[in-house]
Amino acid sequence: MSAQAQPLLQVRNLTIAFENDETRQAVTTVQDVSFEVNRGEILCVVGESGCGKSVSSMCIPRLLPSPPAKILGGEILFEGVDLLKLPIAKIRAYRGKKIGVIFQDPMTALSPLVRIGDQIVEAVRIHDTEISKEGARAKALAWLEKVGIQNPTLAMRCYPYELSGGMQQRVMIAMCLILEPQLIIADEPTTALDVTIQAQVLELMLQLHSKDSGMIFITHDMGVVYKMADRVAVMYAGQVVEQAPAAEFFAGPKHPYARALLEALPSHATRGKTLRAIPGQVPSPGHYAPGCRFSDRCDCAREACATTPPDLRTLPSGRLVRCPFAE
């Protein structure tokens, strides 16, 4: 990509809050999140559950229910257009056709009362009003075959519950990619699958990923990040704490939280010694520390860390790190 080329997606200083049902007070869950996705690039967003990965990403196609979600600030520039300024009626033209989503649990994303074929055909015809029903069915059959379903004609007649979890996820991938979106958001799409099927689905997504499209792959599995990522963004407690090209990140993460995630992998363990774990847990929104949000779990925290919020700064190497002591 040339230096002058515009990123496909630019998320700038995104801040999101959720309104408490009882108190009606808004609690900030995501704060000043920024990242970019280029065409042909896979950005993996990684972090423990509750770090804000899915909330940040689902805000892009405006899939967060409002209320309770409130967007307090920021920009989401897709091909230069700020999606946050568009009315929902215009956002619908982006969903599916330009921005596709592969959800974590296909059983909740697929309608249990509609046959697989009818669901795919409906998705195609909504976004292509000129295609016939027969043409849409032929396209659906071709894509089910592309995603590795051996008997696509039979699968078209099935209801979701009649397919295995791996088959359902392949159907979700087909439904997303059949519309040839420019941006794909994959929200932990292999979490519910066993290890063998997970590897097959990841390989399939790499094969079908277009050089003209970008992908945001959300996960908490560093092994998946190693396999999929061109670039890595690490989130903690609603903030991005590190961003770097994948090769540089795995060669040596700079933020203490990112280092701790890698050191917790079995591949980094010493034989005969206890696997390292990160003490404590991610703080709940509304209970973030006034300083660094990782300071109470960090083994190299200093006195200033508990009181002074760190900025996301650019290191000489070009990577972004939210820690003043990263070097």
Side-chain angles (χ1 to χ4, degrees):
M1 192 177 112
S2 66
Q4 292 77 26
Q6 183 184 58
L8 175 65
L9 175 76
Q10 295 171 289
V11 176
R12 298 175 177 170
N13 306 117
L14 181 65
T15 299
I16 305 169
F18 281 80
E19 190 177 78
N20 186 294
D21 290 335
E22 297 178 358
T23 64
R24 298 299 178 187
Q25 292 181 335
V27 178
T28 301
T29 57
V30 168
Q31 185 173 26
D32 292 330
V33 166
S34 299
F35 56 81
E36 296 180 351
V37 181
N38 300 310
R39 293 184 186 276
E41 178 180 60
I42 298 177
L43 171 70
C44 277
V45 183
V46 65
E48 294 169 272
S49 297
C51 284
K53 308 182 299 296
S54 295
V55 169
S56 301
S57 298
M58 289 302 111
C59 187
I60 296 167
R62 304 276 294 278
L63 290 178
L64 296 179
S66 179
K70 289 185 177 182
I71 300 170
L72 302 183
E75 297 176 312
I76 298 176
L77 302 176
F78 180 78
E79 296 185 315
V81 177
D82 189 351
L83 300 182
L84 296 182
K85 293 182 179 178
L86 296 181
I88 289 298
K90 290 190 175 181
I91 287 292
R92 292 193 182 103
Y94 284 82
R95 293 173 181 165
K97 184 63 178 175
K98 294 185 177 182
I99 303 174
V101 180
I102 302 171
F103 294 98
Q104 178 176 349
D105 184 1
M107 272 302 288
T108 59
L110 295 169
S111 172
L113 304 178
V114 182
R115 297 181 191 273
I116 293 296
D118 293 336
Q119 294 190 54
I120 301 176
V121 168
E122 181 184 18
V124 172
R125 298 193 74 196
I126 284 174
H127 294 282
D128 185 354
T129 56
E130 296 183 1
I131 194 170
S132 66
K133 191 171 183 178
E134 292 73 21
R137 288 190 70 83
K139 195 171 183 180
L141 281 167
W143 268 97
L144 287 178
E145 189 172 1
K146 275 186 181 182
V147 298
I149 293 180
Q150 294 182 349
N151 192 336
T153 303
L154 176 61
M156 291 274 284
R157 296 197 297 265
C158 289
Y159 290 96
Y161 74 88
E162 297 179 291
L163 302 179
S164 67
M167 293 274 278
Q168 290 174 28
Q169 197 56 277
R170 289 171 187 266
V171 169
M172 284 296 303
I173 293 171
M175 286 185 69
C176 175
L177 299 185
I178 196 171
L179 300 174
E180 299 180 351
Q182 294 156 286
L183 177 67
I184 300 162
I185 301 173
D187 188 5
E188 302 196 44
T190 61
T191 298
L193 306 179
D194 63 53
V195 175
T196 302
I197 302 301
Q198 181 186 87
Q200 293 174 1
V201 169
L202 292 176
E203 190 62 38
L204 173 66
M205 294 181 70
L206 284 173
Q207 290 174 3
L208 296 179
H209 179 235
S210 167
K211 292 182 180 179
D212 296 323
S213 65
M215 183 187 295
I216 299 173
F217 197 104
I218 304 163
T219 183
H220 59 263
D221 187 331
M222 296 303 293
V224 172
V225 176
Y226 185 82
K227 181 178 180 64
M228 299 292 292
D230 295 308
R231 201 152 45 86
V232 181
V234 181
M235 288 192 69
Y236 183 78
Q239 296 180 323
V240 173
V241 296
E242 182 164 355
Q243 283 191 60
E248 294 180 18
F249 176 80
F250 282 101
K254 298 297 184 183
H255 193 277
Y257 176 63
R259 286 201 303 270
L261 286 178
L262 281 188
E263 290 170 358
L265 291 175
S267 59
H268 285 66
T270 302
R271 183 180 292 274
K273 292 189 176 181
T274 304
L275 184 67
R276 179 170 179 179
I278 306 174
Q281 60 186 6
V282 181
S284 301
H287 297 86
Y288 297 142
C292 173
R293 297 179 180 182
F294 186 62
S295 60
D296 61 339
R297 304 176 71 190
C298 181
D299 58 8
C300 56
R302 308 184 189 184
E303 188 176 342
C305 296
T307 56
T308 306
D311 294 324
L312 187 66
R313 62 195 185 95
T314 305
L315 301 183
S317 61
R319 71 170 66 186
L320 301 174
V321 180
R322 193 180 295 275
C323 178
F325 310 112
E327 287 292 280

